[in-house]
Amino acid sequence: MKTSHKLVGAALLAAVGAGLAIPSATKADFDGTDASGKGTVEFTTDTSTNPTNLPPGESTGDPLTAPSQNPNPGTLKVVSVTDIDFDSHAIVANDSEKTYDALPFTDGNQTTAHFVRFQDVRSDVASNYYTVKAALTSQFTNTAMSSTLDGATLTYKNISLVTGTNAATLPTDAVQEVTSLEFADDGSKAQVFVESNEDGKGFGVFEIMFDTTANAQADTYDGVTLTVPGDNVLKAGQYQAEITWTIADAN
């Protein structure tokens, strides 16, 4: 810190000295009866706050009380991810493959499609290029019964990229085609959901949506499906998995 203060002081002192010796270079410019001054403005990046926790694609309205937001400061980060509930089902005693559709997301007051919110508000890069990936890093497990749904996969459907705040810089061709997420605890089977590489695009706050909020509220939601191979012997109780979302610079 002392070094920085010394450098600033020296620069200011040099500017004052130059102003005394060379008026035309550092003072106002004069041309006959006219005079011109200079205007300056400086911008800084605020990393201390998160975007308002509104429903995906919305710019106004009541904020959601969930999901919780990433408290870590940063200009490039995943802000929030909705937890996915595949509801409760009776155990069927056969070895057929089983599929379960996700319920829409709700914070207890509002119902929306499931979404992942991320931001790239970097102002020190030439382009706001990045990739957003997801990986099934913990398989569905019933801890109480020591039972795991081996081979279970997640399929995300009707994917779109939306924003309520940055329409001018919304990438138009960034959503990637994905196949079902398979389990790998090291994240090695991660898939790219968004790849932003368009000039002039990608700066701002965006949401990856799975189906639409209109469908979620109309009881026709089709955003995420869990598939369980038939050779699993299901046990009574709750199974829980972990899906890890990451964002990385792609410049």
Side-chain angles (χ1 to χ4, degrees):
M1 291 300 294
K2 289 184 178 179
T3 301
S4 297
H5 285 296
K6 286 182 179 178
L7 288 174
V8 172
L12 289 174
L13 180 60
V16 171
L20 293 173
I22 312 173
S24 62
T26 58
K27 293 183 178 180
D29 294 326
F30 297 97
D31 182 14
T33 59
D34 298 334
S36 61
K38 300 184 184 302
T40 61
V41 62
E42 181 178 357
F43 299 99
T44 61
T45 302
D46 180 12
T47 61
S48 63
T49 58
N50 271 315
T52 304
N53 199 20
L54 290 169
E58 300 297 328
S59 59
T60 60
D62 295 328
L64 296 167
T65 57
S68 59
Q69 294 189 313
N70 185 347
N72 296 321
T75 52
L76 181 69
K77 70 176 183 178
V78 177
V79 176
S80 58
V81 179
T82 57
D83 291 334
I84 306 172
D85 185 355
F86 292 96
D87 208 357
S88 178
H89 303 273
I91 295 174
V92 179
N94 62 42
D95 56 4
S96 63
E97 180 180 87
K98 300 166 182 65
T99 59
Y100 307 100
D101 291 330
L103 297 172
F105 173 72
T106 179
D107 68 349
N109 298 303
Q110 300 186 70
T111 298
T112 74
H114 284 282
F115 66 92
V116 175
R117 176 170 285 135
F118 66 89
Q119 69 176 28
D120 182 2
V121 292
R122 293 174 296 169
S123 56
D124 58 352
V125 293
S127 300
N128 295 94
Y129 294 169
Y130 48 79
T131 57
V132 181
K133 298 181 179 181
L136 180 58
T137 49
S138 178
Q139 186 56 283
F140 283 86
T141 300
N142 181 336
T143 304
M145 298 297 294
S146 300
S147 173
T148 298
L149 301 183
D150 294 328
T153 60
L154 290 173
T155 303
Y156 292 84
K157 298 175 288 185
N158 301 310
I159 304 172
S160 62
L161 188 63
V162 300
T163 181
T165 55
N166 299 96
T169 52
L170 175 69
T172 58
D173 193 29
V175 174
Q176 305 296 299
E177 288 193 20
V178 297
T179 57
S180 297
L181 284 185
E182 299 179 357
F183 167 67
D185 57 4
D186 61 356
S188 59
K189 294 186 178 181
Q191 293 198 40
V192 176
F193 278 68
V194 170
E195 185 172 9
S196 173
N197 55 13
E198 299 174 63
D199 290 339
K201 304 291 185 179
F203 178 89
V205 180
F206 307 99
E207 294 87 37
I208 309 171
M209 281 185 72
F210 311 108
D211 205 2
T212 65
T213 292
N215 285 344
Q217 295 174 350
D219 200 27
T220 56
Y221 183 68
D222 186 26
V224 192
T225 297
L226 167 65
T227 301
V228 180
D231 56 359
N232 283 278
V233 178
L234 306 182
K235 303 294 184 181
Q238 186 180 79
Y239 288 78
Q240 187 169 332
E242 182 179 78
I243 304 98
T244 301
W245 291 83
T246 59
I247 186 169
D249 172 71
N251 282 286

